[in-house]
Amino acid sequence: MIARLYRGEERIDALDPRDRGLAYGDGVFETVLVHHGEPVWWDEHLRRLERGCAVLGIRGPDRDFLRAEAGAMVAGCARGVLKLIVTRGIGERGYARSPDASPTLAMSLSDAPSAPPPQGLTLRWCETRLAIQPRLAGIKHLNRLEQVLARGEWSDPSIHEGLLCDTAGRVVSATSANLFVLRGGHWLTPSMADCGIAGTCRAWLLGNVPGAVETALSREEVESAGALVLCNAVRGILPVAALGERRWATRDATRALCLALARAEPAFAAVPLS
Amino acid sequence: MIARLYRGEERIDALDPRDRGLAYGDGVFETVLVHHGEPVWWDEHLRRLERGCAVLGIRGPDRDFLRAEAGAMVAGCARGVLKLIVTRGIGERGYARSPDASPTLAMSLSDAPSAPPPQGLTLRWCETRLAIQPRLAGIKHLNRLEQVLARGEWSDPSIHEGLLCDTAGRVVSATSANLFVLRGGHWLTPSMADCGIAGTCRAWLLGNVPGAVETALSREEVESAGALVLCNAVRGILPVAALGERRWATRDATRALCLALARAEPAFAAVPLS
């Protein structure tokens, strides 16, 4: 892994232990697929980063600066994952913000994940529930203990992901991917208005797949759906083969979804279509 | 400020940018008053730290090691604030835990806060609501964006603290202190079962003040109470003089509460009793 740190636009060698990212999770992050030396969906990631900074009142890094520095970092990378963390910077003890703090930027480049299983993902339901917090919903902030607890519920490597409900019992997402389910010929995905992260691949699907819409989903509606896929910006669309006792064979609608993404964004051409 | 960092029991010079404390707020902290070279309520803080680590499944630092290292750091300090941060340590990308990661410990010693206003605190209601998450309630974990947002609601230095309700409308606490209200001759404080931090000074009051109990409180019940105090481990008991338009004169019951704490714990003898 390669890593670079900045305070404002100045390279630094080490994180300050007073960084509010460490103290309070006071920041946001992005996880970006790198393909042939280019960040995929770069504009969309930069926009979400800026939206997250705006929600938290963080003066985030300049977009051109970020483009230049990240671009230099990923230039020689055939395929990998670029992670950006932006925090409010150094703070004194206490929750009050120092208005003149320079934001901290941590950029790292790591290997792309291994290919997903060709037969599709095996999922479980998580017992951890996501709390309802509209003020923080949708953005990719650094307060991720709920996801850590949920992912800690299983260690069986044959389980690839876990689905989460909110404290009101509505289905939200997987621990690190959004969920779409096929019902009545439409791809449906939960709203991110109360909790969860509004993913970049999710946004692509909502914007580009006819009939793809947000709607409330119960556990029963997920289990009785005709097909399930997970999606995120690093792995694209991931067909689901099993959830608990329920099994799904890959359907034409799922293949069509994967093909549409691969045509629009060649970085995702290697999706499983078996 | 003096700061020391450890990976496991080994001193390190700098935080790793892959630390899960930064990535996910995956850890806990304690803020401890230091008085005449000794951490005040040290056992209680160490116990809460261990409880928080247990909830998160973090293998925290050994208690004797922590006592020795923190003891050496605070030995010459007449009065200050010791902050401990314990994180799950370094992780690869993704929420799954590395079972063999050594925890990170960040210890820092800073100046004690200035004395509270002798006339009592002026409070406001915050618009930010605390999400209901029983899995994380009570412990002092590093996911504190709600408190950051709430504290960011005002910059007027004549407002000392803000009171928070949860998303169900029940009063919880201030941004960095617990709340007790005097009603019917009893000191009442909200439960920390759904959200909020179960403070060390709060625990002292519940354990040592006859009739002090947990109960649900509405905004109206707080505003119509005979007296309000905030409390935390660094500042002890802080009488409240105003909340929005409401004003309170300091009452004998409040003076008795402060005196009881000062008798039990001389580090808090300097409480305002005017």
Side-chain angles (χ1 to χ4, degrees):
Chain A
M1 196 195 69
I2 311 164
R4 290 186 188 176
L5 293 168
Y6 303 79
R7 181 175 303 140
E9 299 194 353
E10 181 195 350
R11 279 286 287 276
I12 54 173
D13 292 329
L15 279 167
D16 191 294
R18 293 169 299 169
D19 196 282
R20 290 174 62 105
L22 177 70
Y24 306 129
D26 192 4
V28 291
F29 70 113
E30 289 292 327
T31 310
V32 185
L33 179 63
V34 176
H35 185 68
H36 293 171
E38 296 283 347
V40 177
W41 286 331
W42 198 201
D43 283 349
E44 289 77 4
H45 284 289
L46 291 170
R47 273 203 296 271
R48 182 173 57 183
L49 191 72
E50 290 169 3
R51 197 163 62 242
C53 285
V55 166
L56 301 183
I58 291 174
R59 188 164 44 87
D62 176 75
R63 190 185 282 205
D64 291 336
F65 168 76
L66 211 46
R67 277 187 190 284
E69 296 297 314
M73 186 179 221
V74 306
C77 173
R79 198 167 172 94
V81 176
L82 169 67
K83 182 167 177 174
L84 308 173
I85 295 176
V86 173
T87 83
R88 199 183 304 274
I90 297 172
E92 297 308 310
R93 216 176 49 72
Y95 297 120
R97 310 164 181 182
S98 310
D100 52 353
S102 292
T104 301
L105 167 64
M107 288 199 318
S108 60
L109 182 62
S110 51
D111 294 339
S114 51
Q119 74 280 12
L121 300 187
T122 297
L123 312 187
R124 73 194 300 278
W125 288 106
C126 292
E127 287 173 26
T128 304
R129 299 291 182 104
L130 295 173
I132 292 172
Q133 178 49 276
R135 287 284 309 268
L136 294 169
I139 66 169
K140 204 169 168 85
H141 58 68
L142 297 174
N143 279 197
R144 292 294 156 205
L145 276 174
E146 292 177 325
Q147 284 75 16
V148 171
L149 287 179
R151 184 60 189 83
E153 290 185 28
W154 79 95
S155 53
D156 177 352
S158 72
I159 308 285
H160 304 107
E161 252 286 18
L163 292 185
L164 287 153
C165 294
D166 66 20
T167 52
R170 293 168 300 196
V171 177
V172 181
S173 66
T175 67
S176 60
N178 289 112
L179 169 72
F180 282 78
V181 309
L182 184 67
R183 291 184 66 87
H186 296 291
W187 287 102
L188 311 176
T189 193
S191 159
M192 297 290 117
D194 281 344
C195 52
I197 298 174
T200 306
C201 191
R202 174 183 181 274
W204 186 88
L205 287 165
L206 284 172
N208 292 279
V209 174
V213 286
E214 288 188 351
T215 190
L217 289 170
S218 68
R219 271 177 69 137
E220 292 66 33
E221 286 166 327
V222 169
E223 290 176 344
S224 62
L228 264 59
V229 298
L230 300 187
C231 64
N232 70 29
V234 168
R235 309 190 73 175
I237 295 169
L238 299 162
V240 173
L243 168 60
E245 301 299 304
R246 178 82 161 91
R247 299 286 177 276
W248 288 271
T250 306
R251 294 177 59 153
D252 288 346
T254 305
R255 290 190 192 91
L257 203 64
C258 295
L259 275 173
L261 176 63
R263 282 198 193 107
E265 183 44 74
F268 296 112
V271 289
L273 297 174
S274 68
Chain B
M1 195 196 68
I2 311 165
R4 289 186 189 178
L5 292 168
Y6 303 79
R7 181 176 304 140
E9 300 194 353
E10 182 195 349
R11 278 286 288 274
I12 54 173
D13 292 328
L15 280 167
D16 191 295
R18 295 169 299 169
D19 197 283
R20 290 174 61 106
L22 176 69
Y24 306 128
D26 192 4
V28 291
F29 69 113
E30 289 291 329
T31 311
V32 185
L33 178 64
V34 175
H35 185 70
H36 292 171
E38 297 281 346
V40 176
W41 286 331
W42 199 200
D43 284 348
E44 289 77 5
H45 284 288
L46 291 170
R47 273 203 296 270
R48 183 174 57 182
L49 191 72
E50 290 169 4
R51 197 163 62 242
C53 286
V55 166
L56 301 183
I58 292 175
R59 188 164 44 86
D62 176 75
R63 190 186 282 206
D64 291 337
F65 167 76
L66 210 47
R67 275 186 191 286
E69 295 298 311
M73 187 179 222
V74 306
C77 172
R79 198 167 173 93
V81 176
L82 169 68
K83 181 167 177 173
L84 308 174
I85 295 178
V86 173
T87 84
R88 199 183 304 274
I90 297 172
E92 296 311 310
R93 216 177 48 74
Y95 297 121
R97 309 164 183 182
S98 308
D100 51 352
S102 293
T104 301
L105 166 65
M107 288 199 318
S108 60
L109 182 62
S110 51
D111 293 341
S114 51
Q119 76 280 13
L121 300 187
T122 296
L123 311 187
R124 75 195 298 278
W125 288 106
C126 291
E127 286 173 25
T128 304
R129 298 291 182 107
L130 295 173
I132 292 173
Q133 177 49 276
R135 287 283 309 270
L136 294 169
I139 66 170
K140 203 169 170 86
H141 59 68
L142 297 173
N143 279 198
R144 293 291 156 209
L145 276 174
E146 292 177 324
Q147 284 75 18
V148 171
L149 287 178
R151 184 58 190 82
E153 289 184 28
W154 79 95
S155 54
D156 178 353
S158 71
I159 308 285
H160 303 107
E161 253 286 18
L163 292 184
L164 287 152
C165 294
D166 65 22
T167 53
R170 294 167 299 197
V171 177
V172 181
S173 66
T175 67
S176 61
N178 289 114
L179 169 72
F180 281 77
V181 309
L182 184 66
R183 289 185 65 89
H186 295 291
W187 287 101
L188 310 177
T189 191
S191 160
M192 297 290 117
D194 282 342
C195 53
I197 299 173
T200 306
C201 191
R202 174 182 181 275
W204 186 89
L205 287 165
L206 284 172
N208 291 279
V209 173
V213 286
E214 286 188 354
T215 192
L217 290 170
S218 67
R219 271 178 69 137
E220 292 66 32
E221 286 167 326
V222 169
E223 290 176 343
S224 62
L228 263 59
V229 297
L230 300 186
C231 63
N232 70 27
V234 169
R235 309 190 72 175
I237 295 169
L238 299 162
V240 173
L243 168 59
E245 301 299 303
R246 178 81 161 90
R247 300 285 177 276
W248 288 272
T250 305
R251 294 177 56 153
D252 288 345
T254 305
R255 288 190 192 94
L257 203 64
C258 295
L259 275 174
L261 176 63
R263 282 198 191 107
E265 184 43 76
F268 296 113
V271 289
L273 297 173
S274 67

